[in-house]
Every structure is written in C-alpha cells, then in structure tokens.
Amino acid sequence: MGATLGKVKDKRRRTLSFRRTGVSAEPVVLDSSYVPKVVKKSNDAKKRIQRALEKSYIFKGCDKKQIKTVIDAVEEEKHKAQDIIIQQSQLGDTFYFIEGGSCDVYIKQSENANPVCVASYSAGDSFGELALLYNAPRAATVKATTDCILWAMDRGTFQQILMTSTSQKRNLYEEFLASVPLLKTLDAYERSAIADVLEPEYYNPGQSIIVEDTPGDKFYFLEEGTAEAKTKGQVLMKYKSGDYFGELALLNNEPRAASVVTTSNCKVVFIERESFKRLLGKLEDILHRKKLEYATVAAAIS
C-alpha cells in the first residue's frame, strides 16, 4: 500500500511534517466560558445517538447531564468505504464515535514508510482523541472499510466532557502497561487503546478471581499482589505484578480451565471478551504458545 490512502475528510487539512506516533502532553486549560453546543436534530436521531453511546466504553462514566450534552452537541457524518476520515500528521479538532460500519487504523513509522494497519474499529468504538488530549497532530490515519455512520464531537465538548477522565485513566495505566512483557510489541497508541477499556477489581488474600469450570468473559492483568492458578488442589502457576491470566476461556470459548486464587491483597485490571478479541488479536500467537505451556504443566500433575 502506498503512503497516500485516499481523499481526506478531516475538517482541518493543513499538512504537517511527519512526526512519530508518540505524542507529548501539553497543558490544556479547560475553557471556563464554555457554552454547550446544540445542533438541532430529530428525536429519532437522538435515540440513535443514545444507543451508540451505550455501546461505547469511553462514555461509561458519564452522568445523564453529560450524556445529554453529548447528544445535543454531536453532528452526523456519513462516509463511504475507502474514505479517509482522519489523516496522520494533520491537525484535527474532532473526536468521533461510530454508530455503524467499520474502519481500519494505519500508522507510518517513518516519513517514507508505507502505512501499517494496527487496529480495526466498529460500532461502539471511538477515535480522534489523542490530538485533542495533547494538542498534537493526528497520531494515525483512520480509513473507512465499509460505509460508515459517525457522530462527530467538537473540541470544546470533548474537553469539557471527556478530556479529564480519559487523560487520567491513560496516565494511571500507562506505566503499568508498558511494563507488561506480553505488551512489549505494542506501540504507545495500541497500549492507550487498551488503557481506555481497563476496569479495576480488588481482592483480599484467599479470594477467587476466577473459578474453575465457570464461564469466562474477562481477561486479567495482575497489577498489584500475588496469586496462584489451581486445579484439583494442585498449583499450576504463580502470578506476580505484570502477569496475565484468563485468556484460555476467551481463546477457546470454553469454561475456565483452572481457578485463580489470591495469595496477598491484589489489584487486577480486566478486559471484557469483545475488547479482548479486538485489541489483542495481534498477540494471539503469543497467547496460544502460553496455552501449550499450561497444558504441559497440567499434564505433569495429572
């Protein structure tokens, strides 16, 4: 694929010299004079936006007043397959969430390199926030792979409603995710997407995080503490900070193969099944190799 992907549809088309995908945070001061934007729309459109917001993890922490502000402020955009919605290295002032359709995310690692597809987005996903969080050029190109219906949010609304919570969450998990061996092959952009969907859980010593033979819909990273995987009373694996578990049930669509029990106070962060498949598909080979390791240990104690 060549460096040019198609017609650019981002609102601001000023081209900048190439920058690496990492972005440096600059202080962003919220506008105290902000007046919520209201774009006239039908009740049907409002209901569609509400349904789209319910699918989006990034709006989970918003209260009813904030959701109303979002519904009032966003504008509908329709894109055809192959349209460029945002272009890496250009300026941007819009955040998008997807109501319908799918998009691919491309990153150029150097000015003369071909873009590489690093992620795919579908209904409920969102993008474009990095440029607004850090006052930086776009960190990636997003291209429609099907006809898409998007809702576009202006910079002012994004900063008032989402910027603080999104930035805090990414800052909270940035250092931890960078230390996880499984994620070493991912770049900062990909790890930030994982940070967006992480949710914490806390356990006391002796509590079960996972119970053998029960359905599983979460993949876990152990952020703090220690734990053990057990089956038939035998210890299969020991876990410490930075380790992960719970992937077998998601990879195989089977019940949990073992219990995971804490041996100290623990904090874990988890990814739900749908996000696991979308965000960690690139790591599936590594996860399957770990699956063989589990099987070898289980066979040795059976």
Side-chain angles (χ1 to χ4, degrees):
M1 182 184 301
T4 301
L5 292 171
K7 183 180 179 183
V8 177
K9 293 226 173 177
D10 199 5
K11 289 185 176 180
R12 300 178 71 178
R13 293 178 171 81
R14 177 182 164 195
T15 302
L16 304 182
S17 60
F18 173 82
R19 298 192 186 184
R20 292 188 62 84
T21 58
V23 290
S24 299
E26 296 178 5
V28 179
V29 179
L30 295 181
D31 183 1
S32 59
S33 64
Y34 169 75
V35 176
K37 180 179 178 180
V38 177
V39 178
K40 188 176 180 179
K41 52 183 69 75
S42 67
N43 287 332
D44 178 66
K46 291 178 181 180
K47 290 177 181 177
R48 286 167 45 213
I49 299 167
Q50 178 76 47
R51 289 194 293 270
L53 293 177
E54 289 170 356
K55 296 178 183 178
S56 179
Y57 58 83
I58 204 166
F59 294 98
K60 278 185 176 179
C62 293
D63 59 29
K64 289 182 178 180
K65 184 177 179 181
Q66 291 172 318
I67 291 295
K68 183 182 183 304
T69 299
V70 172
I71 291 172
D72 286 341
V74 295
E75 298 184 67
E76 184 179 42
E77 287 191 15
K78 293 183 178 180
H79 292 268
K80 296 292 186 182
Q82 307 305 312
D83 280 352
I84 300 299
I85 302 167
I86 65 175
Q87 178 78 57
Q88 183 176 347
S89 297
Q90 292 190 345
L91 294 177
D93 57 6
T94 308
F95 167 76
Y96 298 92
F97 60 95
I98 304 173
E99 178 184 347
S102 59
C103 306
D104 282 343
V105 183
Y106 294 89
I107 289 179
K108 288 176 60 178
Q109 296 295 344
S110 64
E111 187 171 6
N112 297 319
N114 288 334
V116 175
C117 183
V118 298
S120 296
Y121 293 149
S122 57
D125 291 329
S126 54
F127 57 90
E129 74 282 358
L130 289 179
L132 308 189
L133 282 171
Y134 302 115
N135 280 334
R138 296 296 193 187
T141 294
V142 177
K143 177 181 179 181
T145 53
T146 67
D147 290 354
C148 291
I149 299 174
L150 309 177
W151 292 99
M153 181 186 295
D154 64 286
R155 179 186 292 270
T157 302
F158 175 85
Q159 290 181 343
Q160 290 294 324
I161 302 298
L162 292 175
M163 189 181 73
T164 301
S165 60
T166 301
S167 180
Q168 286 176 343
K169 191 168 188 180
R170 289 189 175 178
N171 290 339
L172 179 65
Y173 293 123
E174 181 179 3
E175 185 176 352
F176 168 69
L177 291 177
S179 73
V180 174
L182 173 67
L183 306 180
K184 290 292 187 184
T185 59
L186 302 184
D187 61 28
Y189 185 89
E190 293 166 313
R191 286 197 298 270
S192 71
I194 293 173
D196 287 342
V197 302
L198 290 177
E199 297 293 341
E201 289 181 346
Y202 299 86
Y203 294 88
N204 295 320
Q207 287 189 297
S208 295
I209 303 172
I210 286 175
V211 177
E212 187 174 2
D213 293 327
T214 60
D217 58 4
K218 295 177 181 177
F219 171 67
Y220 295 89
F221 294 106
L222 183 57
E223 186 174 355
E224 298 173 6
T226 55
E228 295 175 338
K230 293 183 175 182
T231 184
K232 301 174 184 177
Q234 299 286 325
V235 175
L236 287 173
M237 306 283 283
K238 293 188 176 183
Y239 300 116
K240 62 184 185 304
S241 178
D243 290 337
Y244 61 90
F245 50 87
E247 75 281 8
L248 291 184
L250 306 189
L251 288 171
N252 302 332
N253 289 317
E254 295 176 352
R256 296 296 193 185
S259 295
V260 176
V261 181
T262 60
T263 54
S264 69
N265 290 318
C266 286
K267 177 186 178 183
V268 298
V269 288
F270 67 84
I271 299 176
E272 294 182 340
R273 178 185 293 271
E274 185 176 334
S275 296
F276 171 82
K277 292 183 175 180
R278 175 172 59 84
L279 296 174
L280 297 181
K282 183 176 178 179
L283 304 175
E284 196 163 323
D285 287 345
I286 298 173
L287 295 170
H288 275 293
R289 288 199 295 272
K290 192 67 177 283
K291 173 183 168 182
L292 296 176
E293 181 183 337
Y294 291 141
T296 301
V297 174
I301 67 170
S302 60

